[in-house]
Amino acid sequence: MVVNDNKIYMNVLQNGLDQGEEINKAVDEICNRNIENVFLVGCGGSLAVMYACNYILDTRSNIPSYAFNASEFNVINHKQFSENSLVILSSYTGSTKETVEAAKIARKAGAPTIGFMGKLGTPLAENVDFAFANDAATGVTDSKLIMLYQVIFRLMQNKGQCEDYDEIIKALKTLPTNLVKVKEKYEKTAEEFAIKYKDEDYFMTIGAGILWGETYSYATCIIEEMQWIKARSVHAGEFFHGSFEIVTRDTNVLLFRGEDETRPLCDRVERFCNKYTDKLTIIDTKDFPLEGVNEEYRGLFSPLVLSAALDRVSKHLEDKRNHSLKIRRYMGIVEY
Amino acid sequence: MVVNDNKIYMNVLQNGLDQGEEINKAVDEICNRNIENVFLVGCGGSLAVMYACNYILDTRSNIPSYAFNASEFNVINHKQFSENSLVILSSYTGSTKETVEAAKIARKAGAPTIGFMGKLGTPLAENVDFAFANDAATGVTDSKLIMLYQVIFRLMQNKGQCEDYDEIIKALKTLPTNLVKVKEKYEKTAEEFAIKYKDEDYFMTIGAGILWGETYSYATCIIEEMQWIKARSVHAGEFFHGSFEIVTRDTNVLLFRGEDETRPLCDRVERFCNKYTDKLTIIDTKDFPLEGVNEEYRGLFSPLVLSAALDRVSKHLEDKRNHSLKIRRYMGIVEY
């Protein structure tokens, strides 16, 4: 049976918003220093959620940003990293050893650090300058992205690079209500998808731009990690330069189309896949109303809309496949 | 029957080196302007080969660099991109429409452009300030990387950020001979690999750091595009945060271990995979002598060593699977 946890979800998102004042204080204090760039550091889903921030900084600000897997960040001695880098770290457990190590490296270099984790008191929380926790049974990633957005837009605003800061924050505040409606709207479609595709042994997810993180993490952290099915994330622009050659009539393709600048890349994938596979599923964030959100900001929130819709897909896959999203072969079970 | 084209290969690499003087002239002329950063733009394998340059600039210079799929670059209006960006573009055919469009966008913005392609006279060659061609039946990517290295190290040297420029260029000049020896040394092992794994329906490639581009492109441009087998490239640091959960005793894993800073990440993958799959293959660039190359520069050349070894794997897979590396379902055949 699929649990509807929408009330809990709404509270978790609201909790992310409610920490806005503390987040602002942290960012304002950090901005008393000369911040030259931003490093987004984590692993797996905790890294992927930050790709949207990377995209926003790249396309809406002059603040350079770099997203790195923590274990790579820890060894490469990136030459743009300095005491003037804002380092944003994330780990749901707060104990991912690579991410904790990255926090220590950042601190040792004198760089300001902000960390996101499930619970305070965890190693990551203890090793950053500012720690924000949002433990919950559901919606952790979405809540985290809401908090991350508050960090980066505040940073941009403080740097004089976000004229519409107030409007964006106002739109952000509509999300607890709006994203629940996304889930409700997608519930039935998600169930139908799960019934149709529950026996697939391969998923190809395709996306680009602001949705790349979610495209990557859905293949990696849900389909592979939580359902033990082979999966592959493909960038919509890269699709035509390799991966599309394996597409045949029965290739299971999930196309994630957002409302950012890269939307035409996904249109091209749709045109191709419509011709060559019978198993194309599209989640288009444009199909979901976001009341109170100005048209021009919808693209910013595409990752959250997609994540909300995909949560229902995951829950129905779990149910129809009789494979809990919580069981693991190795993670947290064996040493590695 | 597997063709040994090592003589042609050596000539192709030498041709890349022989263009060094012209490359230097181009870079020197570009450096008369104030170059603030580098954009590496292409699609598929032509993009992936440039990731190594991205890694080198990140870890050995203060010159920011950004690698982008051309179609994404063309639409996102990246805020770090300006007339002071050096834009390096690559397309084997010289006619990849997204990449040609990127060249036009760069030029229109007044940014200096260098392009690499198979043949002069192609659209990409016609739309860049400096065009370098190296058409050949084999070794095109390796030759291109040799040319790219000459570009970025010259740039670093001109910016006062490459004290050991002469030593690096000297080492680069040993590659035509050394890489042929890599191929010869790996020939038998590659054939054994192809015999053993020719019927696999899935390949997972794993790598990190300077080898990430090759890790990505081997899965995408060889296994998927040229052999029509499902494949998935996984970053060695990300492996433990999702993808490893699908590993069972019969999961076919190719681990690519280089000699850059990220080598320990691959050691960790090896330890895990040794325990949980019977089908782990490791290509370790350290196993190949590079005569005349100082120990400290070997890491820089890991992508070339790996690419040379993998070329033999591809050729034997083609042979044992009776599936030409040249046939396509869609690329160059249908409109998309």
Side-chain angles (χ1 to χ4, degrees), chain B residues 74-137:
Chain B
N74 295 343
V75 294
I76 64 170
N77 190 19
H78 197 293
K79 289 287 188 285
Q80 299 295 326
F81 170 67
S82 78
E83 60 183 354
N84 297 321
S85 301
L86 165 58
V87 183
I88 304 177
L89 306 113
S90 173
S91 157
Y92 174 61
T93 61
S95 60
T96 308
K97 54 188 172 185
E98 305 95 300
T99 311
V100 174
E101 176 68 17
K104 288 178 183 173
I105 288 170
R107 272 198 143 172
K108 203 177 161 192
T113 48
I114 299 182
F116 294 91
M117 67 292 299
K119 283 191 168 60
L120 296 180
T122 50
L124 181 58
E126 299 294 309
N127 282 285
V128 292
D129 300 333
F130 301 95
F132 296 96
N134 202 357
D135 197 14

Side-chain angles (χ1 to χ4, degrees), chain A residues 124-256:
Chain A
L124 180 59
E126 300 293 310
N127 282 285
V128 291
D129 300 334
F130 301 95
F132 296 96
N134 202 358
D135 198 15
T138 189
V140 173
T141 302
D142 300 1
S143 168
K144 195 191 291 174
L145 191 51
I146 284 177
M147 293 196 281
L148 282 162
Y149 273 16
Q150 291 174 98
V151 171
I152 62 159
F153 285 113
R154 185 72 174 188
L155 172 67
M156 285 162 61
Q157 143 98 336
N158 287 347
K159 289 274 205 179
Q161 301 195 20
C162 192
E163 282 178 19
D164 42 6
Y165 175 76
D166 292 338
E167 290 92 318
I168 291 170
I169 296 299
K170 198 177 150 198
L172 203 63
K173 288 181 176 167
T174 71
L175 294 182
T177 312
N178 273 322
L179 294 180
V180 164
K181 288 184 185 158
V182 168
K183 290 195 176 194
E184 287 169 353
K185 184 175 160 74
Y186 207 61
E187 192 76 50
K188 193 161 170 287
T189 312
E191 183 172 14
E192 288 162 1
F193 174 89
I195 291 167
K196 188 168 172 191
Y197 292 108
K198 69 183 168 59
D199 297 320
E200 292 291 327
D201 62 2
Y202 174 80
F203 283 68
M204 182 186 285
T205 65
I206 305 181
I210 201 166
L211 293 188
W212 175 247
E214 189 64 25
T215 306
Y216 169 75
S217 70
Y218 201 72
T220 308
C221 305
I222 305 296
I223 302 299
E224 289 185 323
E225 177 183 327
M226 301 191 184
Q227 290 294 298
W228 303 353
I229 302 170
K230 290 182 177 82
R232 160 73 146 159
S233 47
V234 179
H235 183 280
E238 287 286 283
F239 177 68
F240 298 101
H241 300 274
S243 305
F244 77 148
E245 287 286 345
I246 68 157
V247 172
T248 54
R249 295 241 69 87
D250 67 344
T251 306
N252 175 27
V253 176
L254 270 80
L255 174 60
F256 303 145

